[in-house]
Amino acid sequence: MAVALYAGSRRSSSAGAGRLTRHSFSFGPHYDPANLGFGPLVCHNDDLLDPGAGYGEHPHSELEIVTWVLEGSLVHTDSTGARHVVDAGRAQVLSAGAGIRHSEVADAGSGRCRFVQAWLRPSEPGGQPSYVVGEAPTPGSGGLTEVVGGDGLPIGASGARLLVARLAAGQSVTLPEDPRQHVFAATGSVDLAGTSLGDGDAFRIEGEPGRVVTASAAAELLVWSFSA
């Protein structure tokens, strides 16, 4: 059983034209053999894009790619023919399958864009790529809402769920009963068992389900929960 704190200040980062990415796991040239993933979660990037900046068309395969937009709007296009503007507070799931190409750019008319993107290993390799956006329930205030997996958007990683909570100062939420959880403070600050998380900090929890998290300031909490 373990509850481990991963401070946002210790994340590696990458910068490009008009963009900054902070990596929670080993990523690209920032190789860390002790931090390759957590269950099926192999990437958890926190991106900040200037208006019109982002990532041109590039390939992916054998990944479930989940994006949660925190600020601004993200324009997504891909080789399935999908094109959507994903606004703050919405999720998208791209199942790369045997191969797909896509691009992600901050909508030039919506100011800067901040989003968190997770990559997960799929339960079944190969298959046709697919894309879904916008059908997830919008998180309310004070409780965890399934936005991917469960009652949220479908994902091809069995037992994986992304839950989001928006908490006012003093509000608490009980984490799921699943045995493995990645708890990320996207904004604000929260407390878990006497330890504080600020913007960009994360807990990785194994074998200690049902922990209580309390906001010390208004916060948006992203929780990846895994049943195995």
Side-chain angles (χ1 to χ4, degrees):
M1 296 190 294
V3 179
L5 172 65
Y6 287 78
S9 60
R10 298 182 64 185
R11 292 178 294 176
S12 60
S13 63
S14 302
R19 68 175 189 256
L20 174 66
T21 306
R22 295 184 175 92
H23 311 289
S24 295
F25 296 98
S26 178
F27 191 87
H30 305 287
Y31 179 64
D32 181 355
N35 190 28
L36 297 176
F38 185 68
L41 186 63
V42 295
C43 165
H44 192 275
N45 285 347
D46 186 352
D47 278 271
L48 186 62
L49 307 179
D50 290 342
Y55 301 92
E57 188 176 275
H58 57 281
H60 287 289
S61 62
E62 307 302 348
L63 287 172
E64 299 293 304
I65 301 173
V66 178
T67 305
W68 178 258
V69 180
L70 290 159
E71 177 185 346
S73 298
L74 186 69
V75 181
H76 166 96
T77 60
D78 66 50
S79 53
T80 71
R83 183 189 186 280
H84 288 279
V85 178
V86 186
D87 297 321
R90 305 302 288 167
Q92 65 175 15
V93 180
L94 178 67
S95 297
I100 196 170
R101 299 185 66 85
H102 79 144
S103 65
E104 297 165 306
V105 177
D107 181 44
S110 301
R112 73 175 191 174
C113 178
R114 182 185 172 202
F115 64 93
V116 174
Q117 186 169 92
W119 299 359
L120 295 89
R121 293 188 300 269
S123 299
E124 299 291 338
Q128 292 296 314
S130 63
Y131 174 81
V132 63
V133 64
E135 290 82 2
T138 301
S141 177
L144 282 167
T145 300
E146 290 179 327
V147 297
V148 174
D151 292 329
L153 300 177
I155 184 173
S158 180
R161 297 183 294 156
L162 172 62
L163 304 100
V164 178
R166 294 187 180 130
L167 303 173
Q171 285 188 312
S172 297
V173 66
T174 301
L175 297 175
E177 291 296 323
D178 293 328
R180 181 178 286 148
Q181 294 162 58
H182 182 275
V183 181
F184 181 74
T187 64
S189 60
V190 298
D191 180 272
L192 189 154
T195 302
S196 295
L197 274 74
D199 190 329
D201 295 337
F203 277 118
R204 299 180 199 176
I205 302 174
E206 295 187 87
E208 296 192 18
R211 289 283 192 139
V212 175
V213 176
T214 302
S216 48
E220 186 160 347
L221 197 67
L222 308 184
V223 179
W224 274 105
S225 190
F226 305 106
S227 61

